[in-house]
Amino acid sequence: ATLATSVTFTPTMLDLKLDLLQTLTLSAVVYFAGVQLRQRIAVLDRLNIPSAVVGGLAFALLVFVLRDRWANLTLDTSAQLTLNVAFFTTIGMGASLTLLRRGGMAVLVFLLFAIAVCVVQNGVGVAIATAFGQPPLLGLMAGSVTLVGGPATGLAFAPLFESAGLDGAAVIAITSAVFGIVCGGVTGNPLGTALIRRHRLSPRSTSAGELEAELAVPDNYPARELRVEVEREDTAIVRNLVVLALAMGLGSLLSRSIQDAGFTLPAYIGAMIVASVLRNLDEATHWFRIDEDAMEFIGGFALNIFLVVALMDLKVWQLASQALPLFVILLAQLVTLLLLAWLVSFRLMGRDYDSAVMASGFIGFAMGTTANAVANMRSLVARFGPAPRAFLVIPLVGAFFIDFANALIVTSFVNWLK
């Protein structure tokens, strides 16, 4: 990047344009500010709102207040695409068939249920948006794109939605995602508690090994610590960066081939598919020595910077004309998911104590993030007792498999609606 800051003064206003290096520097500062805000504001930490979202939204609101009054800011966001593809490539690296088989039938059943929920969310959103005379893509953006997918998936699809005619797609995405995170954190625990009390459920007998495995799940799942070695060149980070680059490069060729065939899709789909193939090939051959912790570290870094840069460039004022239909869609999504958790998820997964805890976790990740799901479940088990099956099923589906399936579902809807 070249240093090309442009500062223009007018009698009443400052116009500031940052180059790529300065934008990334500012994003690091904004992310750290988000970390500090989350540590100091208890409700943000309790609801598991990501630090990147906290810092990025705070900065976006500041830019909105200053806009056309005292200062206008223009950022160089050209790094977003690469960061976005890198993150979703690491998601593809988690799509392990061995892991799916190890989880047993419960994981497969819950995954199929979660996939069906993605389709339902999109159907509800499109139907309500159409009833309001709004573009169907508005309802799709307020469906599984941002609720199951979270802020990262929403912002990743935003350029595609913008090009298809949905103005303000990025601000709609983050509004929907934050609404979902808050509601998923607020409603999941009461629903699980109501199921436990209504059906007079209690934990089954739990072995010491199962209980130890459950309590080992960290509060911010799936994040883990990774030891970074600096003395060697052939470290896990270096090896996995090479594999990641290979998947991204081959994936770009696959995406181009799919697009040439007439399908509309985000840039990361090809890389995510290739990454999944490499992961399962590695499990059979051990050629690449893919390390989950290293991939997670790389993906987390790319995700946080991507989110902050995208949110810093958020144009909040674009939401005004679509605020009412968006609120109605999101409220309908919340009611629909609560009914699905109560009437379907609980019964489908066995009508026992673990199923009630899973229903609470389902609300967490279907409206917000896997961190919300785990926080909901940990709150319940701290009060009523251990639920090891829930802590096996929900994290596997929410953190590893549903993002992969959801991206393909959303891509199919976009091609259907375009």
Side-chain angles (χ1 to χ4, degrees):
T2 58
L3 297 179
T5 307
S6 173
V7 181
T8 303
F9 292 94
T10 67
T12 59
M13 189 161 47
L14 170 68
D15 287 307
L16 182 62
K17 296 182 180 179
L18 303 185
D19 65 17
L20 177 58
L21 178 59
Q22 293 154 350
T23 297
L24 292 176
T25 301
L26 180 60
S27 71
V29 174
V30 170
Y31 173 69
F32 183 74
V35 172
Q36 297 301 309
L37 286 172
R38 180 171 169 175
Q39 290 176 351
R40 287 165 171 74
I41 303 176
V43 67
L44 298 177
D45 189 58
R46 188 171 69 250
L47 293 175
N48 289 293
I49 298 179
S51 299
V53 173
V54 174
L57 274 180
F59 187 86
L61 291 174
L62 175 62
V63 170
F64 174 66
V65 171
L66 297 177
R67 175 180 175 264
D68 293 336
R69 295 180 179 88
W70 298 283
N72 287 330
L73 177 65
T74 302
L75 303 174
D76 184 339
T77 60
S78 57
Q80 277 186 257
L81 178 60
T82 302
L83 293 168
N84 180 39
V85 173
F87 167 67
F88 279 98
T89 304
T90 65
I91 292 293
M93 293 290 178
S96 162
L97 295 178
T98 300
L99 197 61
L100 183 60
R101 287 195 297 268
R102 191 181 305 160
M105 185 56 67
V107 172
L108 179 60
V109 169
F110 196 79
L111 174 59
L112 293 175
F113 170 63
I115 290 172
V117 168
C118 291
V119 177
V120 170
Q121 285 182 326
N122 294 333
V124 168
V126 169
I128 296 176
T130 303
F132 270 93
Q134 295 289 328
L137 289 175
L138 171 66
L140 187 59
M141 182 60 86
S144 73
V145 186
T146 52
L147 299 181
V148 169
T153 303
L155 289 172
F157 272 94
L160 186 64
F161 280 53
E162 289 270 6
S163 64
L166 181 63
D167 294 332
V171 71
I172 294 170
I174 198 61
T175 301
S176 302
V178 171
F179 178 93
I181 289 171
V182 172
C183 289
V186 169
T187 61
N189 193 285
L191 180 135
T193 301
L195 283 171
I196 292 169
R197 288 179 172 170
R198 179 181 178 85
H199 297 278
R200 299 180 181 179
L201 304 172
S202 59
R204 65 179 174 85
S205 177
T206 305
S207 69
E210 288 176 320
L211 182 58
E212 182 181 353
E214 176 180 326
L215 296 178
V217 178
D219 289 326
N220 61 338
Y221 185 91
R224 294 184 292 271
E225 291 187 2
L226 175 69
R227 182 175 182 269
V228 180
E229 300 178 66
V230 296
E231 298 87 0
R232 298 169 45 217
E233 293 182 349
D234 181 26
T235 65
I237 291 289
V238 173
R239 287 197 312 272
N240 283 268
L241 277 171
V242 172
V243 176
L244 184 77
L246 175 64
M248 291 172 66
L250 294 177
S252 67
L253 299 177
L254 177 60
S255 292
R256 185 176 303 171
S257 299
I258 297 174
Q259 287 176 331
D260 290 343
F263 293 95
T264 301
L265 75 168
Y268 64 77
I269 290 291
M272 195 165 65
I273 293 173
V274 171
S276 176
V277 172
L278 293 180
R279 167 62 187 269
N280 288 281
L281 178 63
D282 184 59
E283 289 184 345
T285 64
H286 304 290
W287 289 347
F288 305 109
R289 291 186 291 166
I290 294 173
D291 185 290
E292 291 183 8
D293 289 348
M295 280 295 176
E296 194 171 293
F297 173 81
I298 297 167
F301 175 81
L303 172 63
N304 284 324
I305 300 301
F306 164 75
L307 282 177
V308 172
V309 173
L311 290 170
M312 285 164 50
D313 199 42
L314 202 63
K315 297 173 176 58
V316 179
W317 54 91
Q318 293 180 339
L319 186 62
S321 63
Q322 297 161 319
L324 178 59
L326 180 60
F327 176 75
V328 173
I329 293 170
L330 293 172
L331 192 60
Q333 298 282 20
L334 175 61
V335 173
T336 300
L337 283 179
L338 290 173
L339 290 173
L340 287 172
W342 184 279
L343 299 175
V344 182
S345 175
F346 174 65
R347 289 168 169 77
L348 184 66
M349 300 311 295
R351 296 174 61 92
D352 56 8
Y353 172 73
D354 281 71
S355 302
V357 175
M358 271 191 273
S360 172
F362 163 70
I363 291 295
F365 88 77
M367 283 295 293
T369 64
T370 306
N372 282 97
V374 172
N376 287 349
M377 295 192 300
R378 289 179 73 87
S379 179
L380 287 178
V381 300
R383 184 174 183 181
F384 296 106
R389 184 161 56 95
F391 278 86
L392 170 67
V393 173
I394 294 293
L396 277 177
V397 174
F400 293 108
F401 296 112
I402 194 58
D403 283 336
F404 188 94
N406 186 41
L408 300 179
I409 291 169
V410 173
T411 300
S412 299
F413 266 86
V414 171
N415 283 281
W416 173 53
L417 294 172
K418 71 176 182 178

